[in-house]
Amino acid sequence: QVQLVESGGGVVQPGTSLRLSCAASGFSFSSYGMHWVRQAPGKGLEWVAVIRYDGITTYYADSVKGRFTVSRDTSKKTLYLQMNSLRGDDTAVYFCARDRDMVPTNYFDYWGQGTLVTVSS
Amino acid sequence: DIQMTQSPSSVSASVGDTVTITCRASQGIRYWLAWYQQKPGKAPELLISAASSLQSGVPSRFSGSGSGTDFTLTISSLQPEDFATYYCQQAASFPYTFGQGTKLEIK
């Protein structure tokens, strides 16, 4: 069965960096686009970034562009989110999610359990 | 960016009722719309994609309709497990924006 497991969250100070990981299993990881979506405490969902199956094509929300980098390691079946210059408004639960189809649809059919990132001094 | 506006923000209903949630896009997105259900402390779950296509395993009491800018999610014969927060999401163009959510509460 499809499983996505995030890790790497924690409490960090403003201006510092953090890398999140999302370990995938139960499907052909190299064939699907993968997304990051976040949710600030008590708030709604915000799409953050996507990396297509090719590992090259990426898109970002304006709020993170230039600070966050999404990447993937097909051999490890792992998705990453490198977060630099973190700010207080980056505080959120970060979910990784799979694109529904091998052809990009930008619907998210499987989600991880989320990992909490808290940016605070 | 395409703005997604859901209404109502919250709704109270009883088991067995039918509830309709609407989602409006700030510009046309054809049928590129999904609905998700989220329960407290859990990840969202995909219910409907392409405006009206029910995800495998989702009960048939959930249905979606609409195209262009106006969409609806209808839940018929509400069950206790349906009380949750629902989000619409446009998949037409990035950034792939969500509505603000609709909290469905037990009356």
Side-chain angles (χ1 to χ4, degrees):
Chain A
Q1 71 282 17
V2 173
Q3 195 168 12
L4 299 170
V5 179
E6 300 97 336
S7 61
V11 180
V12 296
Q13 293 190 331
T16 61
S17 300
L18 199 63
R19 189 179 80 160
L20 306 182
S21 300
C22 169
S25 60
F27 67 102
S28 177
F29 179 70
S30 61
S31 298
Y32 287 82
M34 297 295 297
H35 300 257
W36 288 99
V37 177
R38 69 183 180 183
Q39 186 169 37
K43 303 297 184 182
L45 300 166
E46 179 188 16
W47 175 83
V48 172
V50 60
I51 184 166
R52 300 300 188 200
Y53 74 95
D54 60 9
I56 298 171
T57 306
T58 59
Y59 298 104
Y60 298 91
D62 285 347
S63 57
V64 307
K65 196 176 299 181
R67 300 187 299 123
F68 289 13
T69 302
V70 59
S71 62
R72 63 195 298 163
D73 185 330
T74 300
S75 66
K76 295 183 178 179
K77 297 184 179 180
T78 301
L79 174 72
Y80 301 102
L81 185 67
Q82 178 67 43
M83 305 185 294
N84 298 332
S85 303
L86 282 162
R87 313 184 305 218
D89 59 359
D90 294 319
T91 295
V93 174
Y94 286 73
F95 298 98
C96 62
R98 191 187 81 164
D99 201 292
R100 191 196 69 184
D101 294 328
M102 287 187 276
V103 175
T105 63
N106 309 310
Y107 303 125
F108 319 129
D109 66 343
Y110 287 94
W111 298 63
Q113 84 287 354
T115 188
L116 176 62
V117 174
T118 303
V119 183
S120 174
S121 55
Chain B
D1 297 3
I2 299 175
Q3 308 303 317
M4 306 300 292
T5 304
Q6 288 181 234
S7 61
S9 295
S10 64
V11 57
S12 296
S14 301
V15 172
D17 286 352
T18 294
V19 167
T20 297
I21 299 169
T22 66
C23 180
R24 175 164 289 176
S26 61
Q27 62 190 77
I29 58 171
R30 294 195 292 164
Y31 54 84
W32 290 99
L33 186 103
W35 290 99
Y36 299 86
Q37 177 194 70
Q38 187 180 32
K39 296 181 179 178
K42 299 294 187 181
E45 293 187 9
L46 177 63
L47 300 175
I48 287 169
S49 59
S52 61
S53 179
L54 201 64
Q55 188 71 1
S56 175
V58 175
S60 58
R61 62 180 179 272
F62 291 89
S63 63
S65 64
S67 66
T69 59
D70 294 312
F71 302 87
T72 61
L73 171 70
T74 299
I75 313 171
S76 305
S77 187
L78 277 168
Q79 298 300 299
E81 61 268 27
D82 299 336
F83 293 93
T85 299
Y86 293 85
Y87 294 93
C88 62
Q89 175 239 333
Q90 65 84 13
S93 63
F94 81 96
Y96 306 115
T97 42
F98 291 86
Q100 81 278 16
T102 296
K103 187 173 184 179
L104 174 55
E105 300 175 300
I106 300 175
K107 185 181 288 183

